[in-house]
Amino acid sequence: MDLNFFSATNAHKAWKKRLHDCVSGSGNTLDPAVIALDNRCDLGKWLYGIRDSRPALSTDTSQLFTRLFDEHAAFHRVAAGVVQQAMTHQQKEALQQLQAGGDYARISNQVIGTLGELYLKRREFGMD
């Protein structure tokens, strides 16, 4: 499975708005148990597919891949936590997670940054 790195980046950026809308009550109700699953989105499917196929990667690329794998899982856990806070009437705390310096903002930026770094190594995954 190939990954469109730009779509994956945009999808992760779009989560901030979805979470903000959920917290503010203007969006769809989200299920934290589903959000916590890191293998259902396109990026997660790709990450698990690569992990399971074990391609021969350079040490640098392997480290980047492992970092993205871990950051992506953390992203899903933190996003689920934001929804859980919203559901338990902790809107202020949930919104703080979305602001600069919040856990969600931090891990989201890490995922996007590492995804960009891995994009530069895409040929090792057989992608042009």
Side-chain angles (χ1 to χ4, degrees):
M1 172 181 168
D2 279 351
L3 175 71
N4 183 317
F5 284 84
F6 299 106
S7 293
T9 298
N10 288 335
H12 272 263
K13 289 179 180 178
W15 266 103
K16 183 175 181 181
K17 179 170 177 12
R18 288 181 72 189
L19 292 172
H20 189 276
D21 289 350
C22 174
V23 172
S24 68
S26 63
N28 293 333
T29 303
L30 302 174
D31 182 349
V34 172
I35 293 170
L37 300 172
D38 67 335
N39 62 349
R40 297 238 178 133
C41 65
D42 287 342
L43 178 55
K45 290 175 185 175
W46 182 79
L47 287 168
Y48 277 89
I50 294 295
R51 185 196 69 175
D52 294 344
S53 69
R54 299 181 184 199
L57 302 173
S58 69
T59 300
D60 182 50
T61 301
S62 181
Q63 289 172 348
L64 276 173
F65 176 83
T66 298
R67 189 170 86 205
L68 180 59
F69 193 91
D70 294 343
E71 289 171 352
H72 182 255
F75 171 88
H76 278 268
R77 285 191 305 273
V78 171
V82 169
V83 173
Q84 188 63 43
Q85 285 177 317
M87 292 172 62
T88 57
H89 307 289
Q90 299 175 50
Q91 278 74 15
K92 180 180 176 185
E93 293 84 353
L95 289 173
Q96 287 174 340
Q97 295 295 324
L98 302 176
Q99 302 299 320
D103 285 345
Y104 174 84
R106 178 187 51 78
I107 196 66
S108 179
N109 288 334
Q110 287 175 344
V111 167
I112 291 167
T114 304
L115 193 56
E117 289 181 65
L118 207 55
Y119 172 76
L120 300 174
K121 309 281 188 176
R122 68 193 178 279
R123 287 196 173 91
E124 288 190 51
F125 298 100
M127 301 165 65
D128 291 325

